[in-house]
Amino acid sequence: MTPSIRRGIILTVAVPVMTLAQMLLASSLTIFTATPDFLLLLALLAAMLMDANSSALFGFISGTVYASISAPPEAGYGAIIVSWTITCFLVGWLESRIYQDNYILAPPTILIGTIVAGSLFFLFSPQIKPPHWIHALVLTAVYNSVLSVPVFLIFRKLMGKPASHTDLGIGGFS
Amino acid sequence: MIPDRNQSLMRFWPLPLLVMLGAMLGVWHDNNLQHGRPDTLSALITTVASTPATLLSSTSQWVDHKTSWIFHGYQISRENRRLKSEIAALKQQNIQLQVEASRGVRLSQAQKLYQSSSPPPVAARVISLRSDPDFDTIIINRGTNSSIHKHSVVITPNGLVGEVYEVSANTAGVVLITDPNGMVSARDLRAGAHAVGMCKGDFSSLIPMVNISAESDIAPGDEVVTSGYGVYPPGILIGKVLAVHLDRAQMEKVATIQAAVHFSSLSEVYVIQ
């Protein structure tokens, strides 16, 4: 099995697994009103290991799945997809310049990535209660950031360390 | 040699394409939602996810049910099963009573109408509970195939849960009464028509009830039920009044309602068709 096929399979399996985790576990894993966002965590971590275009595609797919299961009661479906696509693109774009595949950079990247995704979402779809939104966003960002190290290590172990930071053989846009 | 900047940017052509596609999907989704139509993509994703989610949820309950004797002893387990089935039957009866009550019968007379011909509420399992902290929504594993439609009312034996706002063949999205997008016309059960107002969700089980007349006789400890205006039928318990105060303008009262339903542990709900 070639590394690119292996990575493709891992990502294909990871999305439904994280979706189910989000649906079934997220609310029960709430700590002091902080709720994890497994799908965004997956999308951002995957973006750390992919190029910009592949990351944007993965963000788009993850965002679409998340928007469907989070079921925003008013406008917000498209805002989730667009904000995730842009954020994952940015993380993927920075990858070759900054990350160097370093797991120590995972927590700050996930923290900032979650905040950027949330801020873009708010920009595209302003929420009724901004204080609640900010509170929830910061707590989710911290929660995701804490989860990022073990998940990143597992993820990298499964996917294998990339031979080149510019081409992981995923997506194939660039 | 200096690389062509435009050519370099052209490498990222998928980004604007995906952003446009995402925006279009959003507009399409919102348009479908407004017209009460299921969004095919969203419905497909939730339907595909609902099957393993329901299976996992049921399996976890089954394992818990089968292994509880290890920790609690066989006798306790048997007694527990008997009590659970008794509770389930009582819950069903309670739901039916609430439905009857909500259709204009006084709560005290609801039991007499238990045998009426109104359709029974549909039991549904919660397959996604508040998966995003920004929205107080749940997804249930029943949809149009179970005669559930947009604006169907969702309850538990304890009280009001929310309203169906998005429905597909086998799943439905429910906005909880704790979500700011969900508003419920309510009245004080004791004071009746003299104390009516609007419950506006605040992402908490403490729901503010506003627009109450300053002269109304609403007091802590009173039960608050749906008034019947809007999509919710009258008489469904929302919660109990915890506190009452006058608003800043001293023109109206604002009450804090402790929701009757424990939203953090919702696993099974009933949908009034």
Side-chain angles (χ1 to χ4, degrees):
Chain A
M1 188 187 291
T2 62
S4 60
I5 292 175
R6 187 180 168 197
R7 288 179 201 123
I9 291 169
I10 289 163
L11 288 176
T12 310
V13 172
V15 172
V17 168
M18 287 301 200
T19 305
L20 287 175
Q22 190 67 32
M23 290 174 81
L24 298 170
L25 297 175
S27 65
S28 52
L29 292 176
T30 299
I31 302 170
F32 300 118
T33 73
T35 310
D37 192 336
F38 293 117
L39 266 170
L40 184 58
L41 177 65
L42 170 71
L44 293 172
L45 286 178
M48 284 180 73
L49 299 169
M50 290 194 282
D51 63 80
N53 288 337
S54 304
S55 301
L57 179 65
F58 196 73
F60 177 86
I61 293 167
S62 312
T64 307
V65 172
Y66 186 83
S68 298
I69 62 156
S70 67
E74 297 292 330
Y77 189 90
I80 292 173
I81 301 172
V82 172
S83 58
W84 283 37
T85 304
I86 295 172
T87 308
C88 288
F89 172 84
L90 290 173
V91 172
W93 180 67
L94 289 171
E95 182 271 325
S96 58
R97 290 160 180 77
I98 296 174
Y99 299 141
Q100 303 296 315
D101 197 31
N102 190 342
Y103 73 91
I104 293 167
L105 287 175
T109 306
I110 301 305
L111 184 83
I112 294 165
T114 306
I115 289 171
V116 169
S119 305
L120 285 171
F121 169 74
F122 189 81
L123 191 71
F124 300 134
S125 177
Q127 298 299 293
I128 297 173
K129 305 263 182 190
H132 170 269
W133 171 83
I134 293 167
H135 186 248
L137 176 65
V138 170
L139 290 175
T140 301
V142 172
Y143 207 139
N144 277 359
S145 173
V146 170
L147 288 175
S148 66
V149 174
V151 178
F152 183 82
L153 290 174
I154 294 167
F155 207 54
R156 200 180 60 174
K157 179 94 177 163
L158 289 170
M159 286 180 75
K161 201 167 182 177
S164 155
H165 288 287
T166 52
D167 178 23
L168 283 160
I170 302 164
F173 276 124
S174 54
Chain B
M1 188 176 161
I2 299 165
D4 184 353
R5 191 179 168 79
N6 286 338
Q7 199 179 0
S8 174
L9 284 173
M10 282 297 284
R11 283 194 302 119
F12 301 126
W13 63 267
L15 180 67
L17 188 78
L18 291 170
V19 166
M20 273 201 306
L21 191 60
M24 281 161 62
L25 276 176
V27 171
W28 182 56
H29 175 87
D30 295 344
N31 193 36
N32 280 327
L33 211 66
Q34 275 175 4
H35 292 92
R37 294 189 299 259
D39 162 8
T40 319
L41 181 66
S42 170
L44 180 74
I45 291 167
T46 48
T47 303
V48 168
S50 74
T51 310
T54 307
L55 198 69
L56 281 171
S57 175
S58 307
T59 309
S60 130
Q61 279 190 1
W62 181 82
V63 169
D64 183 48
H65 178 70
K66 289 291 174 192
T67 56
S68 61
W69 64 272
I70 296 170
F71 306 103
H72 306 296
Y74 181 70
Q75 288 296 327
I76 295 171
S77 178
R78 200 169 64 173
E79 178 70 3
N80 198 22
R81 278 201 296 275
R82 189 186 66 76
L83 288 171
K84 273 184 178 172
S85 64
E86 202 174 304
I87 287 167
L90 287 169
K91 274 182 177 177
Q92 190 70 31
Q93 192 177 352
N94 195 8
I95 289 288
Q96 189 67 39
L97 288 170
Q98 282 199 26
V99 173
E100 299 303 338
S102 72
R103 288 180 180 156
V105 182
R106 289 172 66 87
L107 283 170
S108 59
Q109 295 173 334
Q111 199 168 3
K112 294 176 187 170
L113 296 175
Y114 180 58
Q115 300 298 330
S116 78
S117 59
S118 59
V122 176
R125 188 179 291 277
V126 176
I127 55 170
S128 178
L129 174 65
R130 285 170 158 169
S131 55
D132 187 317
D134 291 337
F135 319 115
D136 268 1
T137 54
I138 59 172
I139 298 177
I140 56 174
N141 69 340
R142 292 278 184 271
T144 49
N145 287 348
S146 304
S147 305
I148 291 170
H149 51 82
K150 193 178 179 183
H151 302 312
S152 286
V153 173
V154 181
I155 58 175
T156 70
N158 295 327
L160 185 64
V161 172
E163 171 201 354
V164 171
Y165 70 95
E166 183 180 22
V167 64
S168 66
N170 294 307
T171 61
V174 179
V175 59
L176 306 182
I177 56 170
T178 52
D179 191 281
N181 291 297
M183 287 212 286
V184 189
S185 176
R187 70 180 172 88
D188 186 308
L189 192 61
R190 181 183 55 79
H194 300 293
V196 293
M198 294 296 290
C199 286
K200 291 172 78 174
D202 197 20
F203 293 113
S204 155
S205 59
L206 299 177
I207 304 168
M209 181 173 164
V210 296
N211 299 345
I212 309 167
S213 164
E215 287 79 41
S216 63
D217 179 28
I218 188 166
D222 287 356
E223 287 189 325
V224 171
V225 296
T226 52
S227 70
Y229 297 108
V231 296
Y232 297 102
I236 302 174
L237 183 65
I238 297 170
K240 271 189 175 177
V241 178
L242 270 188
V244 182
H245 65 271
L246 280 167
D247 68 356
R248 282 180 190 172
Q250 307 281 305
M251 301 287 283
E252 290 175 339
K253 281 181 176 174
V254 177
T256 305
I257 314 297
Q258 172 68 61
V261 174
H262 295 287
F263 293 101
S264 56
S265 57
L266 276 179
S267 60
E268 196 173 56
V269 295
Y270 297 87
V271 186
I272 304 172
Q273 295 169 63

